Amino acid sequence: ITRNLKAGEIVGQLLSARRLMLDRPSQHKRLISNVVFMGQGEPLYNYREVSKAIGFITDGDGIAIGRRKIVVSTVGVVPAMEKLFKDWPQVQLAISLHAPTDEMRSAIMPAANGRWPLSEVMAACAKKKGRDRITFEYVLLKGINDSPLEAAAVVELVGRIPSIVNLIPYNPIEGGQYETSTNNAIHRFASILEDANIPAPIRWPRGRDINAACGQLSTQHHVAANPTMAVSSPV
């Protein structure tokens, strides 16, 4: 990626997907009903174009997908989060959390946590108005962030705001430094959150057996070009 996408290019991806799926406006039921800004870099670093794209996608005379069917994922770009809440209060937010403390989060995802620490990210989340829950994405790494101690810390961190925590078993890559948590550890972690009335669905991977699960294809491509990336961040 050498530049940010323009709004028309973002919307064009959605229109291309609809054409490939034969998703016609005249159909009784949409085949594509939700849109997630995720997996192509940090959306909120490209806020102006992302905001324009949301406008086109949700416009009643355009694609007309409901605002609550749009999710924007971020590592926690605080100024843009606050702008998103103001401009698009019904659009859903997902935060890449992955750790309950700044020290651990900086070790796992150093580029993300350096500028806006968790205290600032959570303070911004608390400003979101309405009844919608904020989603926190949490990749479970064996022996690093998957213990009952970390689970209790996550409860303490997010329990004060309406939230849901998506638990994501790590998809390993050959030569990587991280391992997937055991099923027992994953279920134990989820139970601690659920006992605190925080929904914690487990997002079991698909395609891992052919190295096509989330993060594996892109990471393998970059590792082939730069072998030192095999021990880089999982997110």
Side-chain angles (χ1 to χ4, degrees):
I1 297 176
T2 58
R3 63 170 177 83
N4 287 327
L5 294 175
K6 298 294 186 180
E9 294 169 323
I10 297 171
V11 176
Q13 293 182 43
L14 175 57
L15 293 176
S16 294
R18 291 183 67 182
R19 283 194 294 270
L20 288 171
M21 296 178 65
L22 302 178
D23 188 3
R24 309 299 186 192
S26 58
Q27 288 178 304
H28 178 69
K29 183 179 181 180
R30 291 178 181 268
L31 297 179
I32 298 177
S33 59
N34 296 67
V35 174
V36 181
F37 290 82
M38 178 186 290
Q40 296 179 316
E42 171 55 60
L44 295 187
Y45 282 151
N46 190 26
Y47 181 79
R48 182 174 65 179
E49 299 302 318
V50 166
S51 182
K52 287 181 183 177
I54 292 172
F56 291 137
I57 293 169
T58 59
D59 193 301
D61 293 325
I63 300 176
I65 291 177
R67 296 180 182 182
R68 283 196 167 90
K69 300 291 186 178
I70 309 292
V71 179
V72 176
S73 176
T74 179
V75 297
V77 183
V78 169
M81 286 169 57
E82 294 174 346
K83 195 166 186 179
L84 181 73
F85 296 158
K86 179 181 178 181
D87 295 343
W88 302 103
Q90 294 176 310
V91 166
Q92 308 299 300
L93 184 74
I95 302 287
S96 295
L97 182 61
H98 310 308
T101 67
D102 283 317
E103 181 180 7
M104 183 180 295
R105 196 167 187 252
S106 293
I108 294 173
M109 42 194 301
N113 202 59
R115 190 164 182 183
W116 294 284
L118 281 174
S119 58
E120 294 184 24
V121 174
M122 297 309 300
C125 289
K127 296 178 182 178
K128 183 169 173 58
K129 301 183 184 303
R131 58 182 174 83
D132 298 315
R133 296 177 183 266
I134 292 178
T135 298
F136 293 91
E137 309 289 351
Y138 197 97
V139 174
L140 289 158
L141 306 171
K142 184 178 180 180
I144 295 177
N145 67 351
D146 63 347
S147 76
L149 186 64
E150 276 88 45
V154 170
V155 170
E156 179 66 22
L157 183 68
V158 309
R160 297 182 179 89
I161 62 174
S163 59
I164 178 172
V165 179
N166 280 336
L167 298 178
I168 306 166
Y170 173 64
N171 295 313
I173 61 168
E174 185 176 354
Q177 70 180 104
Y178 298 110
E179 297 181 47
T180 306
S181 300
T182 65
N183 284 355
N184 284 343
I186 293 169
H187 285 291
R188 181 179 59 195
F189 201 102
S191 294
I192 292 171
L193 270 62
E194 295 279 359
D195 288 345
N197 297 316
I198 299 173
I202 301 169
R203 304 302 188 186
W204 296 108
R206 298 179 181 180
R208 184 186 286 174
D209 56 327
I210 57 171
N211 291 323
C214 181
Q216 289 183 318
L217 287 175
S218 176
T219 304
Q220 286 184 349
H221 170 76
H222 289 295
V223 166
N226 180 10
T228 60
M229 287 192 65
V231 293
S232 65
S233 167
V235 292

